[in-house]
């Protein structure tokens, strides 16, 4: 490897001899690559496009590694860019333990993506539960909110964060923030008032449309509910936010004596 900081684990010749002796008449087993080890953590580099470190997964893995430090190698390429095992590497640094690794030349972002696609796909519930256990207060509020209102994951995030632009990486990386929990509950309570008039009250585009209306100073929530009591059949599924706004504007302004209120 050109550096005294890296050593090999085990004796390849000894291993191959033992295997050969035990595999009489069986398919030949040979050694492919070596498991190396080092304490020189500075050798390793991140590769752009790989997943971010997930704090709760890092902690769970650390708890296991503290109980027993197994020889589980990470995978790197010839540039020491980490292909698989970012969490193991980070924990080895923190615990001041050796890093076990296998070097596979030519590996890069395509191999990372293939590895990630074959692994367990954590859903939003898994991430929220993990961060809650670590004491992340915003994720604790998220779980309370979703249990109370039963909206979908993205709908909960947009109401709680006050941001209609959903960024999954922020939520999964532990960066999700609740803007104002009480205000979010008020918005959710208002949205639920549309349930008697429309089965699709919890559709994402409809919720985004309502949230934008609640911010409109010329919009009256009470007046809209009053109009829907006589025009509930007019509220139908739409394909996007703009269509919902056009439809709601038509319902809101029907036979309205005051000025016409525009929603777009």
């Amino acid at each position: 490897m050109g550096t005294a900081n890296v050593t090999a684990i085990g004796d390849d010749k000894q291993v191959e001899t033992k295997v050969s002796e035990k595999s009489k008449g069986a398919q030949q087993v040979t050694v492919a690559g070596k498991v190396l080890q080092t304490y020189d953590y500075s050798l390793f580099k991140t590769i752009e496009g790989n997943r971010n470190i997930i704090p709760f997964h890092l902690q769970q893995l650390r708890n296991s590694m503290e109980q027993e430090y197994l020889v589980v190698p990470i995978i790197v390429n010839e540039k020491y860019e980490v292909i698989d095992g970012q969490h193991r590497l980070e924990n080895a640094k923190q615990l001041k333990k050796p890093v076990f690794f296998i070097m596979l030349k030519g590996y890069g972002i395509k191999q990372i993506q293939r590895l990630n696609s074959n692994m367990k796909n954590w859903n939003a519930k898994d991430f929220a539960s993990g961060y809650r256990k670590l004491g992340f207060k915003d994720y604790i509020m998220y779980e309370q909110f979703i249990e109370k209102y039963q909206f979908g994951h993205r709908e909960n995030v947009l109401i709680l964060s006050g941001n209609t632009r959903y960024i999954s990486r922020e939520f999964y990386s532990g960066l999700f923030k609740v803007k104002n929990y009480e205000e979010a509950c008020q918005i959710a309570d208002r949205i639920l008032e549309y349930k008697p008039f429309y089965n699709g009250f919890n559709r994402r585009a409809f919720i985004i449309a309502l949230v934008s209306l609640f911010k409109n100073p010329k919009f009256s929530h009470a007046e809209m509910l009053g109009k829907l009591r006589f025009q509930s059949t007019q509220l139908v599924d739409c394909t996007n936010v703009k269509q919902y706004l056009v439809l709601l504007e038509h319902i809101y302004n029907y036979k309205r004596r005051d000025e016409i209120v525009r929603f777009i």
Side-chain angles (χ1 to χ4, degrees):
M1 299 305 300
T3 174
N5 295 327
V6 177
T7 57
I9 303 295
D11 185 331
D12 291 348
K13 291 183 178 178
Q14 184 180 21
V15 171
E16 187 169 352
T17 300
K18 288 182 178 179
V19 170
S20 298
E21 290 176 352
K22 292 181 179 180
S23 59
K24 295 176 182 178
Q27 184 177 357
Q28 183 66 38
V29 178
T30 60
V31 175
K34 295 180 179 180
V35 176
L36 307 169
Q37 73 169 356
T38 184
Y39 282 90
D40 188 354
Y41 311 119
S42 65
L43 288 173
F44 303 100
K45 308 167 187 174
T46 57
I47 186 168
E48 187 176 353
N50 203 349
R51 290 179 174 179
N52 292 342
I53 294 290
I54 301 171
F56 79 83
H57 179 46
L58 189 71
Q59 184 62 52
Q60 287 179 327
L61 184 59
R62 176 168 179 160
N63 293 340
S64 175
M65 293 170 74
E66 286 177 330
Q67 293 175 13
E68 184 177 5
Y69 196 76
L70 301 174
V71 180
V72 181
I74 68 173
I75 299 174
V76 302
N77 61 19
E78 67 276 15
K79 300 176 184 178
Y80 286 93
E81 294 173 327
V82 179
I83 305 301
D84 179 52
Q86 294 184 107
H87 295 84
R88 274 171 279 154
L89 172 61
E90 185 61 31
N91 276 317
K93 292 179 186 178
Q94 295 178 12
L95 296 171
K96 294 182 170 50
K97 296 287 188 178
V99 178
F100 302 109
F101 67 99
I102 297 172
M103 182 173 288
L104 298 174
K105 293 183 179 180
Y107 273 42
I109 191 62
K110 287 185 178 180
Q111 286 71 34
I112 289 175
Q113 291 170 341
R114 184 174 295 277
L115 280 168
N116 287 340
S117 68
N118 290 331
M119 292 179 182
K120 177 184 185 294
N121 291 318
W122 290 80
N123 59 33
K125 185 177 180 180
D126 295 325
F127 281 97
S129 177
Y131 287 122
R132 170 182 54 76
K133 291 175 182 177
L134 289 179
F136 283 48
K137 63 182 180 66
D138 294 278
Y139 290 82
I140 294 172
M141 287 188 283
Y142 165 87
E143 286 197 333
Q144 292 172 343
F145 191 83
I146 200 170
E147 182 178 353
K148 181 177 181 179
Y149 293 105
Q150 300 295 310
F151 292 128
H153 164 63
R154 291 195 177 189
E155 291 72 29
N156 282 300
V157 170
L158 77 86
I159 295 171
L160 286 166
S161 67
N163 186 356
T164 56
R165 182 168 167 265
Y166 174 71
I167 304 176
S168 61
R169 183 179 291 269
E170 289 185 359
F171 187 86
Y172 297 150
S173 299
L175 302 175
F176 168 68
K177 296 296 180 185
V178 175
K179 183 178 180 180
N180 186 313
Y181 188 78
E182 291 184 1
E183 184 177 311
C185 288
Q186 292 174 359
I187 291 172
D189 288 336
R190 286 185 176 185
I191 293 171
L192 288 179
E193 291 188 69
Y194 289 82
K195 185 176 180 179
F197 309 110
Y198 179 44
N199 290 332
F201 74 98
N202 56 356
R203 288 167 62 99
R204 186 176 311 136
F206 183 68
I207 288 176
I208 293 174
L210 286 182
V211 170
S212 71
L213 292 183
F214 296 157
K215 296 177 182 178
N216 186 337
K218 293 185 178 181
F219 172 78
S220 168
H221 175 64
E223 185 174 347
M224 174 60 87
L225 292 177
K227 292 292 180 68
L228 285 172
R229 290 187 180 94
F230 301 99
Q231 302 182 73
S232 60
T233 57
Q234 297 295 316
L235 203 48
V236 296
D237 291 347
C238 296
T239 57
N240 55 52
V241 176
K242 185 176 180 180
Q243 287 183 3
Y244 271 119
L245 288 172
V246 170
L247 177 60
L248 290 168
E249 180 182 291
H250 173 75
I251 294 171
Y252 189 78
N253 288 301
Y254 180 71
K255 292 186 177 181
R256 196 165 193 272
R257 296 179 180 179
D258 299 328
E259 66 172 311
I260 300 298
V261 178
R262 299 300 179 190
F263 294 166
I264 298 179

